[in-house]
Amino acid sequence: MRTVVIGDIHGGFRALKQLLESANLSKDTQYIFVGDYVDGWSESAEVVSYLIDFSKKNDCIFIRGNHDELLYKFLKFGEKNPMWLSQGGESSVESYSKISEEEKKKHLQFFENLVNFHVDSENRLFVHAGFTNQHGPQSEYYPNLVYWDRTLWEMVCAMDSSISKEDDKYPKRLKLFKEIYIGHTPVTRVGFDKPANFANVWNVDTGAAFKGKISMLDVDSKEIWQSEPVFKLYPDEKGRN
């Protein structure tokens, strides 16, 4: 079975559809989505509806992102976090004002069924943001850290690549897993336009919420597929720019 990991989407339904249809992968493919399906472009509800339908025909694992949790709290409890609204939430509020109550219930179930992280049979970790506990994400005192943490990515970006894994200074977090796949922090901030790798961490967030693309990576071959820059598919919108 081929396993691919898909980076942050942020309401870019047209780009997501373009990416998956143009890749046209075989039926024995497993798709792992690392979260942030919503907030940014105008079609957050369309993204979730599409993913619900897509998962009926394909083997999918959906990781929880911080934006997904914030939208869920709005849909379920009416919470309107001001910072969330200013960081893409307004677009999701508008998108969800157009769907039926029946559809909304299906979407709430989708958000409730998201997982905080996934570890596969080869000890590869898939998580939205990162983790801080030296025993792994399952040991976090505050479970929501796994979709908010940026320290894991910042650490590997700044690491001396010559440090041996046997060195006492080598980060213990990194020794827990064969590879770690994350999103959350766009690699465009450190000069990349494709999924980027430091140490054993792969970041597949290629800035779809801003001027970047949605990316998909084969975890074995490291083959990459990308959509067009998402903003070009929404010429009358600003996204989170």
Side-chain angles (χ1 to χ4, degrees), residues 117-154:
F117 61 90
H118 170 71
V119 181
D120 72 6
S121 60
E122 295 191 38
N123 195 35
R124 296 179 290 209
L125 170 69
F126 302 83
V127 62
H128 178 64
F131 61 99
T132 62
N133 195 291
Q134 292 185 351
H135 298 290
Q138 75 284 354
S139 299
E140 292 287 13
Y141 189 81
Y142 298 105
N144 65 347
L145 274 175
V146 298
Y147 46 85
W148 284 104
D149 175 67
R150 293 194 201 276
T151 66
L152 182 80
W153 178 240
E154 289 179 341

Side-chain angles (χ1 to χ4, degrees), residues 66-81:
N66 57 308
H67 284 271
D68 311 314
E69 180 72 356
L70 290 165
L71 175 58
Y72 171 74
K73 287 182 176 180
F74 164 70
L75 295 175
K76 184 75 173 181
F77 308 110
E79 290 185 19
K80 281 190 174 183
N81 182 297

Side-chain angles (χ1 to χ4, degrees), residues 49-116:
S49 292
Y50 180 82
L51 291 176
I52 290 170
D53 289 340
F54 186 78
S55 68
K56 292 175 182 175
K57 302 173 185 176
N58 297 278
D59 181 0
C60 296
I61 294 171
F62 297 112
I63 309 293
R64 179 177 286 106
N66 57 308
H67 284 271
D68 311 314
E69 180 72 356
L70 290 165
L71 175 58
Y72 171 74
K73 287 182 176 180
F74 164 70
L75 295 175
K76 184 75 173 181
F77 308 110
E79 290 185 19
K80 281 190 174 183
N81 182 297
M83 188 176 291
W84 166 63
L85 292 173
S86 70
Q87 298 293 320
E90 285 283 9
S91 65
S92 292
V93 172
E94 175 66 19
S95 179
Y96 271 86
S97 70
K98 302 170 185 174
I99 72 169
S100 67
E101 283 300 312
E102 182 180 354
E103 190 76 359
K104 179 180 169 182
K105 287 179 182 176
K106 293 178 183 177
H107 286 214
L108 281 169
Q109 187 175 35
F110 172 84
F111 288 122
E112 288 165 354
N113 288 338
L114 298 177
V115 296
N116 280 354

Side-chain angles (χ1 to χ4, degrees), residues 122-187:
E122 295 191 38
N123 195 35
R124 296 179 290 209
L125 170 69
F126 302 83
V127 62
H128 178 64
F131 61 99
T132 62
N133 195 291
Q134 292 185 351
H135 298 290
Q138 75 284 354
S139 299
E140 292 287 13
Y141 189 81
Y142 298 105
N144 65 347
L145 274 175
V146 298
Y147 46 85
W148 284 104
D149 175 67
R150 293 194 201 276
T151 66
L152 182 80
W153 178 240
E154 289 179 341
M155 176 183 69
V156 295
C157 284
M159 269 178 65
D160 180 349
S161 60
S162 68
I163 297 178
S164 164
K165 288 184 179 180
E166 283 67 49
D167 193 303
D168 289 341
K169 296 189 294 294
Y170 195 87
K172 292 181 175 59
R173 279 186 282 178
L174 300 182
K175 295 182 180 182
L176 297 174
F177 300 101
K178 178 182 177 181
E179 290 179 324
I180 301 170
Y181 292 86
I182 64 171
H184 189 51
T185 306
V187 298

